[in-house]
Amino acid sequence: MTGSDTPPVPRGLPSGVHEAVRPGCALLRLETTASREGVLDGAWWPHSRDIGAELPALLSALVGHLGPVIRVGLDTEAWEGLPTRIVVDDRVVHVDSFPVGDDTVLITRGDRDIFSLLVVPPDAAPDAVRAAMAQAVRADNVSQAEQILIDTGSGRGTLG
């Protein structure tokens, strides 16, 4: 196998939660421990509820650091304009949607490697976003996404 045939080694995503955040800014942070013991693996603060506009950037960031993503699970009620698939880096990513109302997005890499990300509402205040994202990535976090949004004053994630 030549050097160009060697698959890239997955890297962790850089943490942006401690940097200055602006309203409407999309941030992503994944838990940095290999144990993945927390309820959630990370958090995401999209610009809007337009999934067609938001999902490509999220998936490109994930693919660049984690490798190919094959599936995304979204809450039907939380997003506008849900596609059934999207192409990222010349690969088709399947989009599943269910009316679950759980304030998360599920990212599937490989056959069974699933990442659960808290989705912070686009209109949340920056201080609340920082707090929610920090809680979501704690290895000892036992709170579900909805409770984190309540605890941090980030608001309820679903449209309504």
Side-chain angles (χ1 to χ4, degrees), residues 40-63:
L40 298 163
D41 297 301
W44 177 41
W45 188 25
H47 292 276
S48 71
R49 291 291 182 183
D50 179 355
I51 199 63
E54 301 297 332
L55 194 55
L58 172 65
L59 294 178
S60 288
L62 288 171
V63 167

Side-chain angles (χ1 to χ4, degrees), residues 21-151:
V21 293
R22 299 175 317 278
C25 181
L27 295 177
L28 178 68
R29 180 177 176 190
L30 291 178
E31 180 181 339
T32 55
T33 63
S35 67
R36 294 180 65 191
E37 293 173 3
V39 172
L40 298 163
D41 297 301
W44 177 41
W45 188 25
H47 292 276
S48 71
R49 291 291 182 183
D50 179 355
I51 199 63
E54 301 297 332
L55 194 55
L58 172 65
L59 294 178
S60 288
L62 288 171
V63 167
H65 292 281
L66 301 176
V69 171
I70 61 168
R71 189 168 297 281
V72 176
L74 301 167
D75 180 11
T76 306
E77 302 298 317
W79 299 98
E80 300 165 0
L82 283 167
T84 57
R85 65 182 59 108
I86 190 167
V87 177
V88 177
D89 298 336
D90 296 325
R91 289 179 176 256
V92 174
V93 177
H94 297 277
V95 179
D96 298 323
S97 58
F98 306 96
V100 292
D102 68 354
D103 302 302
T104 64
V105 59
L106 299 177
I107 307 293
T108 305
R109 173 185 73 172
D111 291 338
R112 296 190 176 126
D113 198 4
I114 298 174
F115 294 90
S116 179
L117 306 179
L118 165 72
V119 178
V120 182
D123 59 352
D127 287 344
V129 172
R130 278 192 291 277
M133 293 180 85
Q135 185 175 345
V137 298
R138 288 182 46 184
D140 63 347
N141 174 50
V142 294
S143 297
Q144 297 293 326
E146 179 181 12
Q147 190 62 49
I148 291 172
L149 295 179
I150 292 168
D151 291 348

